[in-house]
Amino acid sequence: MRPARPVSVAIAVAAALTAVTGCTEKSNAADGDHVVHVTATDDKCEVSKKEFPAGHVELAVENKGSKVTEVYVLFPDDRVVTERENIGPGTKQRVTAEVKAGDYRIACKPGMKGDGIRQTVKATGGKAIQRDPRLDKAVAAYRAYAQAQADETLPKAETFARAVKEGDLEAAKKAYAPSRIGWERTEPVAESFGDIDPKVDVREDGLEDGQDPATDWTGWHRLEKALWQDKKIGDRQKELADRLITDLKDWQNRVGKADITPTSMANGAKELLDEVATGKVTGEEERYSHTDLVDFKANVEGAQQSYELLKPVAQENDKALTTELDRQFAALNTLLDTYRPDPASYDFTSYDKVGKTDRKELSDAVNALAEPLSKLAAAVVK
Amino acid sequence: MTDNTDNPTPSPSRRSLLGWGGAGLALGAAAAGGAVAMARTDDDPAPDAGTAIAFHGAHQAGIATPVQDRLHFAAFDVTTDDRAEFVQLLKDWTQAARRMTAGQPVGEGGYGGLPEAPPDDTGEALDLKPSRLTLTIGFGPGLFGKFGLAEQRPAALVDLPKFAGDNLDKNRSGGDLCVQACADDPQVAVHAVRNLARIGFGKVVIRWSQLGFGKTSSTTPEAQTPRNLMGFKDGTRNIAATETGRLEKFVWVGEQDDPSWMTNGSYLVARRIRMHIETWDRTSLQEQEDIFGRDKGEGAPVGKAKERDEPFLKAMKPDAHVRLAHPDTNHGATILRRGYSFTDGTDGLGRLDAGLFFLAYQRDVREGFIPIQRNLATDALNEYIQHVGSALFAIPPGVRDKDDWWGRTLFSGEA
């Protein structure tokens, strides 16, 4: 139709081919530069070089051990650059990545478990990004925390799912709130996987136009409604219990790959308080079970974890802010403790028993903490 | 960052007006002290709606200042028990108020800072004119139970007695602190309260607040007396901004009054007065006019031709509003009114939730609002109105200069 179009496309394709060809030739010529040979055994992770040019890097992995392994390229804060799972004993695999100049880790995980055996490597050339190593440490620790929350949630969620599948209403009710704590503690990270959150944590009013609650509403809150409002467990609920476990396993597998930075940690802490301010303090989140205070507490704990990890840097940059945050965290936790008889348990007062005046007091305490918390990101990157 | 007092870049239109209307004059008034304060811009009877009102002066702006079109009034409770922290809040609020009334954003502005952090200023007033914004602070009775201030509580800051017909909602009453924000642009007034509330988180909490949209009183007698939601002109003889003598006598706390920290201050009564709009609208014109004691068109007192003709009270019905509220019926008691109409949607029964947010300033409520309100117990208007919210505040003197702050005379130890 428009003659100009095919011509320009042809030119673009030709240019692209040239570029690819050129690149291939060049990389063949300098094979030693961009290929890192990784020899994995059951207790070692050997690399052929510790420095390579920034840009395209290729790991030539050979598993000489007896266990299945996996190999990662990681940022210093443990964020995953790239990975290859299921490398069987005696097999070879190639893993590629594009990297900017900076420090990285290559990790082998024999048995595909744990932190792995690590080697520090460096990509050189170009502009390097300078980061405070204390912040990388904080991010790595937070990443581990998020992973632990997912790992610890699964068995609790399975207890909940089992009770649902057995049709045991009371046991399911009892297991419901505890199954959510790990998710609520790391909600901003969990929500960063945009496709998991709507499957496990959506409320009925969160469904989009055209979605049918009977078929499209899944996750915790659908089961909450069945247990507390409908007071019965049908076949559909048993299906949903399985589905919840499948989706939470997806979360567990992906949480380590979440993009976490010091500022996203700081703002994630604030977002946890926002969750409280908009969903929990109003009683909207757990409208059938009224277990809002359990979520509330978990959100605050997650925010506090993030804050404590960033505090060494924030304190140096803005002492007044961390003093205020310490005070407001303490105040909110003290207030929350008045709603549970035992500070070691998560049995909180049912939120429908919390009156208007007390809700305002909780809301005021959340504002008192969230406002200074919104300044944490600035104090971290100063 | 991109903005400071010397170079407020983010809001060019606010800045350009400020140049001649704001800071320059404010500093002039401050340097010359209280005596000259009466000559500041807010005494101009026909102010340009876009200008800035001087923040500094012997008295706080927002009392005798010609009444602006819009109101956001907020009452706060104090939650901190740390006196130093509360004093710091008053200083932070003063600084923010000084900037906002001059048409400048709070702190380092509404944008241009770190992308990862929320801006200091919330931003909705950027590019808007100063809009004659005034911010007026007051201290409620509850404040004097804190911070060792019991001895400083003024005798005039009484607990208001219960008046006939009161149906007070505690969620619309009281408060340890108040901020009255008046401006010609509602967004400017709301922005000011919102930013002060934000600065206050963790130290003070909003107890209740009220928006007002149409002034119901004038402090500029040559301007037309505004009408209330009943359609009547009321408050024709309100104290004018230029009436120095009446202001000194009825509004400003004098040097001889106790306590001395209140000198040049005032007392504010705030009442949310709900109007039964629907029944009022079904009332005959004759009855409406009898109830007020004025005619509806011109606003003239009964038997007179013009609004400003001296009323002949005995010509009115014994329970007419003007007759009962007039100083002659109240041993001369006089107050300065700057109330606003309000409409907060409907009340769930399909009735307009509307009325008058009454604000009255006086030298001593025991000689002002209290005797007048008691006298209004038999007011024919009471059939159509109900007082549903109530608060009383001591209004401290003005902030004199850039080193001064709201409440300094009360917290003299920290001065």
Side-chain angles (χ1 to χ4, degrees):
Chain A
M1 279 159 275
R2 286 193 305 169
R5 200 179 170 98
V7 173
S8 64
V9 169
I11 292 165
V13 169
L17 282 173
T18 312
V20 169
T21 313
C23 183
T24 309
E25 279 167 4
K26 194 184 164 194
S27 57
N28 281 346
D31 189 57
D33 271 0
H34 81 285
V35 177
V36 180
H37 293 275
V38 180
T39 310
T41 65
D42 291 351
D43 53 5
K44 282 199 175 102
C45 188
E46 287 170 348
V47 294
S48 63
K49 67 178 75 161
K50 298 222 165 178
E51 277 193 28
F52 44 83
H56 184 76
V57 62
E58 193 168 331
L59 305 187
V61 183
E62 184 172 8
N63 183 0
K64 290 186 173 175
S66 65
K67 295 177 182 167
V68 178
T69 192
E70 55 191 0
V71 172
Y72 288 82
V73 179
L74 301 167
F75 290 107
D77 61 9
D78 276 11
R79 190 156 30 109
V80 177
V81 180
T82 187
E83 64 172 316
R84 179 60 49 86
E85 294 175 340
N86 289 313
I87 305 170
T91 64
K92 292 180 182 178
Q93 287 275 2
R94 286 177 100 81
V95 185
T96 59
E98 293 296 327
V99 294
K100 290 179 180 158
D103 289 330
Y104 295 88
R105 313 278 183 270
I106 291 173
C108 309
K109 291 191 187 178
M112 296 175 56
K113 275 185 189 157
D115 288 343
I117 304 152
R118 297 177 174 214
Q119 295 287 352
T120 302
V121 295
K122 187 188 277 292
T124 55
K127 251 198 200 165
I129 305 155
Q130 285 300 317
R131 285 249 303 249
D132 185 335
R134 291 176 302 171
L135 292 177
D136 282 331
K137 205 177 136 198
V139 170
Y142 186 73
R143 189 180 300 286
Y145 173 76
Q147 184 68 57
Q149 291 310 311
D151 294 348
E152 287 163 21
T153 292
L154 251 291
K156 288 177 184 159
E158 278 160 353
T159 304
F160 172 60
R162 204 177 310 121
V164 172
K165 284 161 67 180
E166 286 166 1
D168 189 338
L169 203 64
E170 284 316 304
K173 279 181 168 182
K174 206 161 162 261
Y176 171 76
S179 77
R180 293 175 44 74
I181 290 173
W183 173 274
E184 290 291 326
R185 280 180 181 150
T186 57
E187 206 161 349
V189 180
E191 283 177 347
S192 72
F193 307 109
D195 55 333
I196 303 178
D197 181 54
K199 290 179 195 162
V200 303
D201 199 28
V202 74
R203 299 192 294 268
E204 189 167 11
D205 45 284
L207 295 176
E208 287 166 23
D209 190 27
Q211 285 192 309
D212 180 358
T215 52
D216 301 325
W217 186 20
T218 61
W220 273 304
H221 294 301
R222 177 64 193 94
L223 292 165
E224 180 204 359
K225 189 181 184 186
L227 298 176
W228 274 274
Q229 179 159 301
D230 309 337
K231 296 185 174 65
K232 57 174 183 253
I233 298 169
D235 290 343
R236 173 67 179 156
Q237 280 69 48
K238 292 177 184 178
E239 265 172 52
L240 288 175
D242 277 335
R243 172 87 183 268
L244 177 65
I245 299 303
T246 307
D247 292 333
L248 290 178
K249 279 185 177 160
D250 186 20
W251 165 49
Q252 185 189 21
N253 288 331
R254 287 161 68 186
V255 69
K257 293 168 205 163
D259 194 8
I260 301 173
T261 63
T263 46
S264 78
M265 269 174 74
N267 284 327
K270 179 204 68 101
E271 281 163 32
L272 281 165
L273 269 293
D274 293 345
E275 291 280 342
V276 175
T278 53
K280 279 79 179 187
V281 96
T282 55
E284 278 172 84
E285 178 83 18
E286 305 289 0
R287 63 191 64 174
Y288 312 109
S289 66
H290 307 300
T291 54
D292 302 88
L293 286 174
V294 181
D295 294 9
F296 192 142
K297 178 68 182 173
N299 286 157
V300 173
E301 285 175 335
Q304 194 157 6
Q305 176 70 23
S306 207
Y307 164 62
E308 295 292 349
L309 290 171
L310 295 170
K311 191 174 157 186
V313 175
Q315 193 163 28
E316 205 170 276
N317 293 333
D318 192 344
K319 183 80 168 70
L321 180 67
T322 53
T323 305
E324 175 72 2
L325 285 170
D326 285 341
R327 218 160 54 96
Q328 297 301 346
F329 266 116
L332 184 55
N333 280 320
T334 304
L335 181 60
L336 277 172
D337 278 346
T338 63
Y339 292 93
R340 55 176 176 180
D342 174 6
S345 98
Y346 282 83
D347 291 330
F348 281 88
T349 307
S350 181
Y351 206 59
D352 56 340
K353 304 280 192 295
V354 178
K356 215 172 154 186
T357 313
D358 290 336
R359 288 186 183 197
K360 181 176 186 293
E361 192 185 15
L362 286 164
S363 173
D364 288 338
V366 169
N367 279 330
L369 172 58
E371 187 64 26
L373 204 49
S374 74
K375 300 185 170 83
L376 182 60
V380 167
V381 300
K382 235 176 218 174
Chain B
M1 208 164 236
T2 56
D3 178 56
N4 57 45
T5 314
D6 302 314
N7 182 28
T9 47
S11 53
S13 67
R14 305 240 291 162
R15 182 180 72 243
S16 57
L17 280 150
L18 170 73
W20 59 270
L25 260 168
L27 290 172
V36 186
M38 288 307 291
R40 64 194 185 185
T41 48
D42 61 340
D43 297 305
D44 181 351
D48 177 337
T51 56
I53 305 277
F55 180 68
H56 296 139
H59 312 293
Q60 290 196 68
I63 303 171
T65 307
V67 184
Q68 301 91 325
D69 291 335
R70 306 291 181 138
L71 169 81
H72 190 183
F73 189 93
F76 296 82
D77 282 334
V78 175
T79 52
T80 182
D81 48 14
D82 182 332
R83 178 166 165 143
E85 186 177 61
F86 183 68
V87 166
Q88 188 57 50
L89 171 70
L90 292 174
K91 290 176 179 174
D92 292 346
W93 268 12
T94 306
Q95 178 56 12
R98 187 181 279 127
R99 288 185 62 88
M100 290 191 288
T101 53
Q104 298 169 334
V106 171
E108 293 184 351
Y111 58 88
L114 278 172
E116 296 90 350
D120 285 353
D121 187 278
T122 55
E124 73 274 27
L126 294 173
D127 309 326
L128 297 178
K129 294 174 179 180
S131 308
R132 296 198 298 131
L133 173 70
T134 54
L135 290 165
T136 314
I137 197 172
F139 301 142
L143 183 71
F144 296 89
K146 303 174 197 286
F147 311 126
L149 293 172
E151 299 286 307
Q152 306 290 330
R153 178 173 172 169
L157 193 70
V158 294
D159 295 316
L160 288 176
K162 176 164 170 27
F163 297 103
D166 277 3
N167 182 23
L168 303 181
D169 175 354
K170 68 176 172 50
N171 293 319
R172 295 189 188 278
S173 299
D176 296 335
L177 282 176
C178 74
V179 173
Q180 172 197 278
C182 298
D184 291 324
D185 183 331
Q187 183 131 330
V188 170
V190 169
H191 167 264
V193 168
R194 175 175 163 192
N195 279 271
L196 294 181
R198 192 178 171 210
I199 293 168
F201 281 132
K203 294 140 212 141
V204 295
V205 298
I206 294 238
R207 183 181 172 89
W208 55 273
S209 82
Q210 181 66 54
L211 293 172
F213 64 84
K215 61 184 178 189
T216 58
S217 310
S218 171
T219 53
T220 43
E222 51 283 14
Q224 189 156 347
T225 304
R227 290 174 189 269
N228 59 25
L229 287 184
M230 289 172 155
F232 275 79
K233 296 179 182 180
D234 193 22
T236 299
R237 277 290 285 139
N238 201 24
I239 302 172
T242 47
E243 289 181 285
T244 316
R246 288 178 88 203
L247 285 168
E248 293 296 334
K249 188 171 178 193
F250 296 113
V251 179
W252 306 129
V253 175
E255 279 177 20
Q256 67 278 31
D257 299 334
D258 275 334
S260 60
W261 70 267
M262 275 295 289
T263 303
N264 289 323
S266 189
Y267 293 91
L268 167 65
V269 173
R271 308 276 286 185
R272 187 177 193 270
I273 306 173
R274 173 83 189 268
M275 290 174 177
H276 302 311
I277 296 282
E278 291 78 8
T279 52
W280 174 258
D281 292 344
R282 290 193 281 267
T283 303
S284 74
L285 176 63
Q286 185 61 57
E287 192 176 343
Q288 288 185 6
E289 291 185 337
D290 286 348
I291 286 169
F292 269 93
R294 290 182 183 277
D295 88 288
K296 200 166 187 176
E298 163 62 26
V302 172
K304 299 294 174 102
K306 293 288 174 195
E307 183 196 344
R308 293 183 193 287
D309 289 347
E310 195 57 37
F312 180 56
L313 299 179
K314 285 180 179 158
M316 300 174 185
K317 300 229 164 162
D319 57 0
H321 179 67
V322 167
R323 181 168 177 171
L324 292 170
H326 198 276
D328 290 355
T329 324
N330 291 286
H331 309 287
T334 302
I335 53 181
L336 183 153
R337 274 173 291 173
R338 47 164 38 239
Y340 287 82
S341 292
F342 72 83
T343 304
D344 292 339
T346 44
D347 66 356
L349 295 173
R351 305 180 303 186
L352 202 60
D353 182 1
L356 171 68
F357 190 66
F358 173 94
L359 293 168
Y361 287 90
Q362 60 242 279
R363 185 174 176 174
D364 190 331
V365 285
R366 295 168 297 183
E367 292 154 19
F369 177 76
I370 293 175
I372 296 171
Q373 186 60 24
R374 282 207 166 116
N375 208 34
L376 289 172
T378 56
D379 189 353
L381 196 54
N382 290 344
E383 193 181 331
Y384 299 95
I385 62 172
Q386 190 167 47
H387 288 231
V388 293
S390 176
L392 177 63
F393 300 95
I395 306 296
V399 174
R400 287 179 170 265
D401 55 42
K402 66 177 176 52
D403 296 321
D404 198 5
W405 43 279
W406 270 334
R408 177 186 52 82
T409 56
L410 171 59
F411 291 90
S412 54
E414 285 86 350

